[in-house]
Every structure is written in C-alpha cells, then in structure tokens.
Amino acid sequence: MEQLELLREDLAQCDEILLNTLLMRNRIVEQIMAYKEANNIPILQPQREARIEKWLSDSIAGKKHQKEIKEVYDTILRCSKQIQARKIFDYNIVLIGFMGAGKTTISSFLSTLFAMEIVEMDEIIAKREGMSISDIFETYGEEYFRDAETNLLIEMQSKKNVVISCGGGVPLRERNVAEMKKNGKVVLLTAKPETILERVKDDHSRPLIENNKNVEFIGELMEKRREKYTAAADIVIVTDGKSTLEICNELVDQLLKD
C-alpha cells in the first residue's frame, strides 16, 4: 500500500507539471497572436501545423501508448486553435453567396484552421424536418422554409466562433439579414458565372440550375440576387483563381480590419 501511495504522489506531481505547462503554453499562444497582429504577420500558417504533426509522429515512433499520446496532443492543438479563434472572432462568421461560390469549402477550411463549429443551414433544417429541402418546399411551401432559416439564425445568436454557411436564398429575406448581423459578420463570397459553372457542372443536387447549366442562365440569376447579396455583406471576397488558403487569408485580414 505504501508503494501505491508513493506512485500516486508521483502521478500527482506529473499532473501538476502538466497543468502548469498547459497554462504556460496557452499564454504563449496568446502572446504569439498579439505579436502577429502587431507586426502584420499572416494569422494562418497551416504549414506550421504540418511540421508539428511530423515532429510528434517522429518523436513517439517506437514508444508505448502512441495512440493515447497523439489523442492528447491533438486535443491540445485543437484547444490552441480555439484560443486563437476567440481572440480574433468574438462573433460568428456568416458566409453567403451564390451556389458554387465556395461557402462549403471555405467553412470547412476555417473549421480546420480554427477548430470552429460549422453550421450548414440547409443540412440542419433538412435533418430537423426529416426530409430534403425540395420536399420541404413541396410539402409546406417556401414561406415555411424561410421561417425555419430565420429561426435558425436567431438560435445561432447565442453562440460565438461559429461558421454559418447559408443557403443561396437566405440573404434575400430582409429579416434574415437583420438576424445574421446581430451576432455575426457577413462575408459574401463571389465569382464569375464562368467560374460558378465550372464548379457546379458535375453537381446534380442543385435543382435550380439542373436543366440550365450555362453561363447565361447562371449570370442572370446572379444579377437578380446581386443587389441584396451586396447590401447584406460586411465584406466581399472574390474567389476566382484563388486557392482556399488565399481566400481564407484575405477573409481573415478583412475581418480584422473591419
């Protein structure tokens, strides 16, 4: 029994060391963020994360409990990302734009970089209703669906650091725009009709353009929505010819300046 108590004391000392180390690490993360901001250094540096992952993999190779160690370290890195996100964004990021503008891709990338929760509005509404969006329209009508969008935007006001990816019609309702701005910055992702067509040409889940996949039709639809999209946006990001990282860097930079 005496040996067991000694081992438990050793374990308690390890826990104390871990706690103090984590507190120090989190302080350093905050200091790094402040330094980047003060010296105009890009916030997003995914290549550093890749280097850390390689270092960890090399360091635990051949050692016991590799799986458990990696799980702990993954959690530490995820928490570091959340600390960064809370410092940069004390609000939600609301992505709007025409289909194919990049909302899903950018929301996913932001989530990876900052460990932010993603809210895909169409997916959540469809799941809650137990039917597809087209079936909701057919069964209950468009007004019912638009009300569901508004209610979800109101629900999201109780959260922070959430990336909300809106369906293409969300900003067309003035009430929705008012609700999304109460605890969010609205980012309009846009692209040329030619770019949109290239991105959606093999996607058959978009009934609005399924039988009209051409630049002229897409351009006309975009023009009809352009005024309301622009009016709703706090910042506008053109996505043509840019990588996902370039788009996210521009998005973060503009939000920090806004």
Side-chain angles (χ1 to χ4, degrees):
M1 186 62 70
E2 182 180 350
Q3 179 65 22
L4 179 59
E5 289 304 317
L6 289 173
L7 289 171
R8 284 174 173 166
E9 287 180 10
D10 289 343
L11 189 61
Q13 289 179 11
C14 286
D15 289 341
E16 188 74 23
I17 292 170
L18 283 171
L19 175 59
N20 289 328
T21 301
L22 287 172
L23 290 171
M24 180 173 65
R25 190 183 195 282
N26 290 344
R27 285 196 298 271
I28 293 171
V29 169
E30 292 180 332
Q31 291 168 0
I32 288 172
M33 291 299 297
Y35 184 87
K36 284 182 176 180
E37 188 174 352
N39 293 276
N40 294 318
I41 297 173
I43 299 294
L44 307 183
Q45 295 180 317
Q47 67 277 9
R48 172 167 169 74
E49 184 176 343
R51 290 198 299 269
I52 292 173
E53 289 182 356
K54 184 178 186 309
W55 165 81
L56 179 62
S57 178
D58 292 343
S59 298
I60 63 177
K63 293 182 172 60
K64 293 177 66 175
H65 313 302
Q66 292 183 45
K67 178 177 179 293
E68 290 77 10
I69 292 172
K70 185 167 190 316
E71 286 179 358
V72 170
Y73 213 88
D74 286 346
T75 300
I76 291 172
L77 290 178
R78 185 174 67 253
C79 290
S80 292
K81 292 177 181 181
Q82 290 170 343
I83 290 170
Q84 294 180 62
R86 285 197 300 271
K87 178 168 177 55
I88 301 172
F89 313 118
D90 61 348
Y91 49 82
N92 297 326
I93 298 175
V94 186
L95 302 179
I96 64 171
F98 198 76
M99 65 183 79
K103 299 187 296 292
T104 298
T105 300
I106 298 306
S107 63
S108 177
F109 197 65
L110 285 172
S111 176
T112 299
L113 292 171
F114 293 112
M116 299 172 76
E117 178 186 351
I118 300 175
V119 172
E120 287 277 359
M121 290 188 65
D122 283 355
E123 288 184 10
I124 289 181
I125 293 171
K127 184 177 181 180
R128 289 179 176 180
E129 296 293 332
M131 62 180 73
S132 68
I133 301 300
S134 57
D135 286 342
I136 295 173
F137 269 69
E138 185 176 343
T139 305
Y140 299 111
E142 181 177 359
E143 192 68 13
Y144 179 93
F145 177 71
R146 298 305 174 195
D147 287 342
E149 290 178 327
T150 302
N151 291 333
L152 183 54
L153 288 169
I154 293 171
E155 181 183 331
M156 289 300 104
Q157 290 168 20
S158 64
K159 296 193 174 189
K160 291 182 180 180
N161 303 125
V162 174
V163 183
I164 304 172
S165 181
C166 298
V170 173
L172 304 182
R173 194 185 211 191
E174 289 186 11
R175 171 75 187 280
N176 286 346
V177 175
E179 297 300 342
M180 66 175 68
K181 284 180 175 288
K182 287 180 180 177
N183 188 32
K185 293 290 183 70
V186 182
V187 179
L188 170 60
L189 300 179
T190 187
K192 296 175 182 177
E194 292 82 359
T195 303
I196 297 294
L197 177 60
E198 181 63 28
R199 292 173 179 171
V200 305
K201 64 182 181 182
D202 298 319
D203 185 347
H204 301 288
S205 66
R206 306 176 189 271
L208 188 62
I209 64 166
E210 179 59 28
N211 297 316
N212 292 283
K213 287 182 177 176
N214 59 76
V215 170
E216 291 74 22
F217 184 80
I218 291 172
E220 288 175 6
L221 273 180
M222 293 178 71
E223 184 57 29
K224 288 178 182 177
R225 297 182 175 187
R226 180 181 60 79
E227 185 175 350
K228 289 196 173 183
Y229 277 5
T230 304
D234 292 303
I235 65 172
V236 180
I237 307 291
V238 178
T239 65
D240 300 278
K242 298 174 184 175
S243 69
T244 303
L245 179 58
E246 287 172 333
I247 294 168
C248 286
N249 265 322
E250 185 177 344
L251 185 155
V252 171
D253 287 346
Q254 287 206 36
L255 286 176
L256 288 174
K257 294 174 184 175
D258 189 57

